Amino acid sequence: MHEARASTVSVTAALHDVAGLGGFFALRVGGRDDGWHPVARSYAAGFTDLAEAVARRHRTPEPRVDVSLAHLGHAARLWSPALACVVLHGIVPDLEGLQRADDGPALRVPRPAGWYADRLDGDPARAVYQQVTRHLSALADGLRVKVAPRLLDGNSASALAGAAHALLALRPAVRRPLTDLTTALLDTGHLAGTGVLTGPDLAFRRRSCCLYYRAPDGSKCADCGLAQGVPCRAPR
């Protein structure tokens, strides 16, 4: 992949542009080092602080609900900028060295790097998949609470589809490449079989549930596998 390496300037410009889309697309670039730590440290700690923040916010009675929602939010923060960078700028961002804010879920890359998607030897979808899922695998390995693996896979797919749906609404001109990439990703690795796209707006129906409905004020999400249409296959 060395020959496909994108320039630092190009990667920085791409990340700054997609951050302007707002929400989960924001992946900070460079800046001061204080206030940040390697996200691997948070993985090893099981994302305990973020799970506890979920418990306080939603008054959830079950630790696995807290963990699932923290995992889902992190997946969205990984998939959103990665997907947008590829579709809008043809760049697969390198998420090695990713850092997390000491006081919250925000992410940054201290030294931006990446690859030009059209210069990669293999499928760009596979490259994006590897960049994101290696982080989610590390997070899953560090969890202190038992959560069904396919539930976590469903969270990842839901976050991906949610990012695609949001990007399509913001940049409708990229419908074709966005749909192609999203479809390819949902057929890759652990994402395969997690759910189905249900319409041209890239709406998604997952085959599992993130467990948000088990929070006191929670409900079934729009893509929940417990809703009629696709049988839920993850333990509840």
Side-chain angles (χ1 to χ4, degrees):
M1 295 172 68
H2 180 71
E3 294 182 356
R5 275 286 180 184
S7 69
T8 300
V9 172
S10 296
V11 178
T12 300
L15 289 171
H16 277 309
D17 179 60
V18 302
L21 297 171
F24 293 110
F25 292 97
L27 178 58
R28 301 185 192 182
V29 180
R32 295 173 59 88
D33 291 335
D34 54 308
W36 300 89
H37 63 270
V39 73
R41 186 190 307 168
S42 289
Y43 297 155
F47 257 38
T48 303
D49 61 329
L50 294 185
E52 290 173 349
V54 170
R56 291 191 297 271
R57 185 182 313 118
H58 296 289
R59 296 178 290 111
T60 49
E62 300 175 79
R64 64 179 181 146
V65 178
D66 309 330
V67 167
S68 175
L69 296 183
H71 174 275
L72 180 59
H74 186 59
R77 288 181 174 85
L78 294 169
W79 280 118
S80 298
L83 189 70
C85 276
V86 176
V87 173
L88 299 180
H89 297 278
I91 289 176
V92 178
D94 186 348
L95 299 181
E96 179 74 25
L98 193 67
Q99 296 181 341
R100 207 202 96 192
D102 292 342
D103 59 356
L107 301 174
R108 80 155 186 161
V109 284
R111 289 169 293 279
W115 301 270
Y116 292 114
D118 60 357
R119 298 184 190 176
L120 290 170
D121 291 336
D123 182 3
R126 173 63 65 173
V128 179
Y129 174 87
Q130 291 173 343
Q131 288 300 310
V132 172
T133 59
R134 67 178 178 179
H135 282 277
L136 295 177
S137 294
L139 171 55
D141 289 344
L143 293 178
R144 304 289 197 268
V145 178
K146 181 176 176 58
V147 181
R150 286 304 273 174
L151 185 155
L152 297 180
D153 292 338
N155 280 356
S156 179
S158 177
L160 165 63
H165 179 79
L167 181 57
L168 179 61
L170 292 166
R171 301 287 178 87
V174 300
R175 176 184 299 275
R176 172 61 68 83
L178 176 59
T179 300
D180 289 347
L181 179 58
T182 303
T183 301
L185 284 166
L186 288 172
D187 285 336
T188 302
H190 292 291
L191 297 181
T194 52
V196 293
L197 293 172
T198 60
D201 62 346
L202 298 181
F204 182 69
R205 178 62 56 83
R206 60 186 287 178
R207 296 182 183 275
S208 59
C209 172
C210 71
L211 305 179
Y212 176 58
Y213 80 100
R214 298 181 72 88
D217 296 322
S219 61
K220 296 182 180 69
C221 302
D223 67 351
C224 184
L226 295 178
Q228 184 177 1
V230 176
C232 181
R233 297 183 179 176
R236 301 191 300 276

